[in-house]
Amino acid sequence: MAKEKTVYTCTECGGTSPKWLGKCPHCNAWNTLEETVAESAAKHRFQALAKSAPVTTLSEIEAVDVARTPTGIDELDRVLGGGIVAGGVVLIGGDPGIGKSTLLLQALDALSHQVRTLYVTGEESGAQVALRARRLGLDGSRVRVQAEIQLEKILATIEDEKPAVAVIDSIQTIYSDQLTSAPGSVAQVRECSAQLTRTAKATGTAMVLVGHVTKEGSLAGPRVLEHIVDTVLYFEGDTHSAFRLVRAFKNRFGAVNEIGVFAMTERGLKGVANPSAIFLSTHGEPVPGSCVLVTLEGTRPMLVEVQALVDSSPIPAPRRLSVGLEQNRLAMLLAVMHRHAGIACYDQDVFVNAVGGVRISEPAADLAVMLAIQSSLRGKPLPRGFLTFGEVGLAGEIRPAPRGQERLKEAAKLGFSVAVVPKANAPRRPIEGLTIHAVERVEQAIELVRGL
């Protein structure tokens, strides 16, 4: 029997090379080439699916809003942009055991009362899915279940059942007869996801693909998987915590970086209507080193507590550690404090933490980090009901944050009374119950806080 020809495929860009190389010649990524079986070029199996379309002027194309089907889970609908879109393909990834299958089974059960649904499981048997449904209290569920890993049989089932929504759990377990490589390989994942995406677009079936993640937390498989789908969702959170975050990193039908907050209960995942309560500590009295920040996650303002601990260092090189915030930005803020406000921490260990396990990436957290550090260093707490937000520049200026009015209104709604904000974010009309101090410089903000 003739030996099958193999090529080396890049897991990042999908490019191929006839031999193994340390660096991909197409995208210059290192150590991403994996051996796969070369595909036969005799005939192209997608030729029948390639439909020609005439060239049309953009202004002549009718633009209509896409119809959405609510999943029945408000927090999931928020992340998706309002609900499931017919023909849309959603990729959801997360650590093992974090709740991906649980959430999708709950969503399918709610959708099954409106439309036909199909749950394809490649990791469990039908009996295991039924046991989970019973634990979640989904007795009498109308969800259709298929335990199958062969792509061609799954596509035949979709054609026969004609579901409005189909879940594939997971894409790494599916294989196609057209390829000889093992399930989960780069070629199989790329092939199966492409076939399922084409089926979704051709039939109008909304497809949800569950993806595994690597040790680094990124989705396993080729990067092209994230490019061909319409929406990419990530499950975040500690498996030891009761709370989970679902974050949208890509969404062709809604806002990016939108998040949904869930609590894991005995009856599955339940949406959290007021997520700010999770990320705020319940101190009896204000404590030094604690500052409340109003951050923006997608379109939702959220209040998060930032804690700082400044202590004398026993070693010549003091430690700078941040959890939930960018560590390089912490070093920059300490330099700005020293240069423009005269606060030196060169002989102090500095630890900064965002409460609740949330990750903050926006620069509007700068001012809250800085005020928490100076509060811990002085051993004096910030006043009760205090909050802040604003970006700090290297010149010591405080820059405005986007959608400042919404942040302040959310804080006032939750009972906060004192706010220090960038001058450009100061509202023209006063907000009831909220005293707002507008500042332009770092030294001005720190001097103002000392007098409160």
Side-chain angles (χ1 to χ4, degrees), residues 51 77 79 153 179 210 212 219 245 261 286 396:
K51 298 178 181 178
D77 288 339
V79 179
K153 291 181 180 178
L179 299 176
V210 178
H212 295 172
L219 280 162
L245 301 180
V261 184

Side-chain angles (χ1 to χ4, degrees), residues 313-319 346-347:
S313 178
I315 56 178
R319 288 167 292 182
Y346 52 81
D347 58 347

Side-chain angles (χ1 to χ4, degrees), residues 102-120:
T102 300
L103 178 63
L104 292 176
L105 189 57
Q106 289 178 258
L108 279 186
D109 179 70
L111 283 165
S112 65
H113 297 287
Q114 314 170 49
V115 295
R116 290 179 65 87
T117 57
L118 175 66
Y119 186 87
V120 179

Side-chain angles (χ1 to χ4, degrees), residues 272-291:
V272 178
N274 181 22
S276 297
I278 301 172
F279 306 117
L280 295 177
S281 294
T282 53
H283 300 296
E285 292 293 330
V287 294
S290 174
C291 182

Side-chain angles (χ1 to χ4, degrees), residues 315-333:
I315 56 178
R319 288 167 292 182
R320 276 63 174 126
L321 180 64
S322 63
V323 179
L325 297 128
E326 190 180 350
Q327 191 157 343
N328 291 335
R329 201 158 188 88
L330 171 61
M332 184 196 78
L333 293 176

Side-chain angles (χ1 to χ4, degrees), residues 187-199:
Q188 287 284 9
V189 171
R190 182 176 57 191
E191 173 78 9
C192 294
S193 58
Q195 287 270 33
L196 290 168
T197 301
R198 286 179 174 86
T199 300

